[in-house]
Amino acid sequence: MLSEDVKRRLRDIVGEAHFKDDAESLITHSYDATPMYQSLPDGVIYPGTTAEVAAILRTANEHRIPVVGRGAGSNLCAGTVPVEGGIVMAMSRMNKLLEIDRDNLTATFQPGLNTKRFHEAVERLGLFYPPDPSSMTISTLGGNIMECAGGLRGLKYGTTKDYVIGLEAVLPSGEIIRTGGKLYKDVAGYDLTKLLVGSEGTLAIVTEATVKLIPEPKYKRTMLALYQDIYAAARTVSRIVGSGIIPSTLEFIDNPTLRVVEEFNRIGLPVEMEAVLLIEQDGGDQAAVLQDIERIVDICREDGAADVQIAETAEEAEKLMKARRSALSTLARIRPTTILEDATVPRSRIADMVVRINEIARKHNVHICTFGHAGDGNLHPTCTTDARDPEEIARVELAFAEIFEAAIEMGGTITGEHGVGAVKAPYLEWKVGEAGIALMKNIKNAFDPNNIMNPGKIFAKETRKRVVVQR
């Protein structure tokens, strides 16, 4: 609980209107997009400047009050759930696009800026910011940075960490640091910029960011390849990339997902197919884009695609993209609770991983559909369930534990883009080992010795026991 003295000090920092502790504010900031996680904060504060963020953190650090930074709350790892109470610091007031520098091909913004609005502003100038998380219509750039967001274009263009080149951040002590800048080369000391990207609010609060931009690709072609054999689809993914072609989008949809998407959207998808690859190529040279698409079509057919469909118009391309982008929202209609996970394996193991996911789902009698970013091996096994049924939820948890174990066994990881948060914390040691956890805790302690920054995330109180996988 916050004392009346602390509340008064916080209101003095931001003004009466920007600190709230009424029931409605506490409840609406007690959860994020992650199912089944909720915990009430003791207060919600809305800073408007970096100086205000610094003053808030100094106060919180002095009184050992937990602080949870929050963008739009669209994350899927319970990363912004205040599991230990304290203050939720909502960054919605700090939402300005400060600069687009066309000479240096950079943009600078505050963390509360909406991702989609930023994309639109950049593209109006003929420039391009590739990271495109599925939540981009509601997510904020600060949240993207804290979770190191990916998206459909990650194979060709990389993820958020590949574009953030400078940060202004406030440490728990209230000290303000600046890392990087409008520089494409900077090896002066440890790379604090990359360390903060993906740190999930456990080290500092980012108050300003500079990202690099690239020229917008002028030409784009979209296609769909349909397979009756899931291994043939996976083989195609490896062969496309192995041929030297890097598509801007290379997505995978399995049969259970395909059936649900078609049932609800009626866009003409062939539900008898075992797998679908959605492929998009873009670039500045139309002839090169067309040449890539022609070669991709040849590879798909050589590897046994039952059919290949190429969009002839922008409207047809959008229709094809809808099959992938609507997957989660469509699956969410089936049952009251939808649990979207992510696990990444080497792209050559995609088919093995999908088959293993299906085996695990049958073993635990749960319904799991799989789609994801085939080009970089990042799959999203998605379970439709009902949180009101404890016995079923227990089976779901066992299934996902086995899925994470299988991913690691195949040379993969427990999360490719959703982050660790509270959800994956018990499994992190499976991936990084005991020594890795100890090193990360030492870094955390160097930044935040009083453990006020988003406590309860990344580091679990107890590590889950490894699953004994029976086949």
Side-chain angles (χ1 to χ4, degrees):
M1 296 291 292
L2 302 179
S3 70
E4 289 304 315
D5 177 60
V6 167
K7 291 180 183 180
R8 177 187 56 76
R9 289 177 63 177
L10 294 173
R11 288 189 174 100
D12 286 345
I13 293 167
V14 296
E16 189 74 27
H18 302 305
F19 174 82
K20 299 182 183 297
D21 60 354
D22 59 284
E24 180 179 351
S25 297
L26 299 184
I27 291 171
T28 55
H29 290 79
S30 66
Y31 58 90
D32 53 28
T34 316
M36 303 185 298
Y37 281 81
Q38 185 173 18
S39 181
L40 285 173
D42 299 305
V44 182
I45 198 160
Y46 304 83
T49 66
T50 300
E52 289 181 358
V53 172
I56 294 164
L57 287 178
R58 279 195 296 271
T59 300
N61 203 38
E62 177 185 341
H63 294 274
R64 308 297 194 265
I65 300 167
V67 177
V68 180
R70 181 184 175 99
S74 60
N75 79 90
L76 292 163
C77 64
T80 54
V81 176
V83 294
E84 297 189 15
I87 303 165
V88 170
M89 186 183 293
M91 306 303 288
S92 53
R93 290 177 65 209
M94 297 182 68
N95 60 8
K96 296 181 177 63
L97 173 55
L98 301 174
E99 178 190 50
I100 296 178
D101 183 342
R102 300 181 72 169
D103 292 334
N104 288 302
L105 285 181
T106 64
T108 302
F109 49 77
Q110 294 180 315
L113 181 62
N114 173 264
T115 308
K116 181 69 172 178
R117 282 181 53 207
F118 176 64
H119 277 251
E120 292 170 343
V122 166
E123 288 166 15
R124 281 195 293 269
L125 299 177
L127 300 173
F128 191 47
Y129 180 68
D132 61 335
S134 296
S135 62
M136 63 188 293
T137 58
I138 57 172
S139 68
T140 66
L141 290 161
N144 295 171
I145 291 169
M146 285 295 97
E147 297 295 340
C148 192
L152 275 64
R153 298 192 286 242
L155 169 62
K156 182 174 183 177
Y157 292 105
T159 62
T160 299
K161 71 179 183 300
D162 300 304
Y163 293 88
V164 178
I165 55 177
L167 293 171
E168 176 187 81
V170 184
L171 302 176
S173 61
E175 296 169 286
I176 300 168
I177 62 170
R178 283 189 170 272
T179 72
K182 295 181 181 181
L183 306 168
Y184 283 61
K185 289 183 177 180
D186 181 5
V187 293
Y190 296 136
D191 193 340
L192 297 178
T193 305
K194 291 294 189 290
L195 178 60
L196 290 174
V197 174
S199 61
E200 302 187 28
T202 62
L203 304 179
I205 296 290
V206 168
T207 51
E208 188 179 299
T210 297
V211 298
K212 64 180 179 181
L213 307 174
I214 61 177
E216 185 177 20
K218 295 181 180 179
Y219 304 101
K220 180 166 54 178
R221 293 303 298 271
T222 306
M223 59 175 282
L224 208 63
L226 315 173
Y227 292 84
Q228 293 175 331
D229 177 359
I230 192 172
Y231 280 93
R235 190 166 57 245
T236 298
V237 172
S238 295
R239 280 200 61 208
I240 290 170
V241 178
S243 72
I245 299 171
I246 308 296
S248 59
T249 297
L250 181 46
E251 296 290 299
F252 171 91
I253 304 172
D254 75 350
N255 179 266
T257 309
L258 192 66
R259 289 179 178 275
V260 173
V261 170
E262 177 59 22
E263 180 182 353
F264 282 93
N265 294 301
R266 302 295 179 187
I267 56 180
L269 296 173
V271 296
E272 71 278 7
M273 295 295 165
E274 285 301 307
V276 167
L277 296 180
L278 174 65
I279 305 167
E280 193 167 75
Q281 182 60 304
D282 63 11
D285 184 288
Q286 186 174 23
V289 171
L290 293 175
Q291 183 178 349
D292 282 352
I293 287 292
E294 289 173 4
R295 179 60 186 132
I296 291 170
V297 168
D298 289 342
I299 292 172
C300 292
R301 288 178 173 151
E302 289 166 8
D303 279 328
D307 191 21
V308 177
Q309 301 173 8
I310 302 176
E312 298 298 333
T313 65
E315 290 74 22
E316 288 182 19
E318 181 58 33
K319 180 181 175 181
L320 294 181
M321 291 297 290
K322 184 179 181 181
R324 168 61 179 88
R325 291 195 181 275
S326 67
L328 176 59
S329 60
T330 302
L331 291 172
R333 302 179 191 181
I334 298 177
R335 298 193 67 194
T337 308
T338 304
I339 302 175
L340 172 68
E341 274 297 353
D342 80 318
T344 300
V345 295
R347 69 172 69 92
S348 61
R349 302 300 303 273
I350 289 172
D352 294 332
M353 188 63 191
V354 174
V355 169
R356 186 76 191 107
I357 289 169
N358 292 340
E359 291 173 353
I360 292 168
R362 287 192 295 270
K363 173 183 175 181
H364 293 283
N365 190 27
V366 295
H367 183 250
I368 297 179
C369 299
T370 303
F371 56 91
H373 317 305
D376 54 25
N378 186 199
L379 296 173
H380 294 305
T382 303
C383 184
T384 53
T385 182
D386 189 342
R388 297 169 296 185
D389 184 341
E391 190 275 333
E392 182 172 321
I393 289 299
R395 286 187 279 114
V396 171
E397 290 178 349
L398 287 173
F400 276 120
E402 287 197 27
I403 288 170
F404 302 149
E405 174 85 7
I408 292 170
E409 285 183 351
M410 294 182 193
T413 183
I414 61 173
T415 177
E417 59 185 5
H418 288 179
V420 176
V423 173
K424 300 283 185 69
Y427 307 100
L428 183 60
E429 189 175 317
W430 293 9
K431 171 59 182 172
V432 304
E434 186 177 347
I437 291 289
L439 181 59
M440 290 181 183
K441 284 183 175 179
N442 286 338
I443 293 170
K444 163 73 169 173
N445 188 59
F447 274 80
D448 181 24
N450 294 321
N451 193 33
I452 69 164
M453 301 302 299
N454 209 6
K457 312 298 166 55
I458 298 182
F459 306 109
K461 293 179 180 177
E462 292 184 3
T463 296
R464 287 285 182 94
K465 293 182 179 180
R466 295 292 288 265
V467 180
V468 177
V469 180
Q470 297 177 346
R471 298 183 182 175

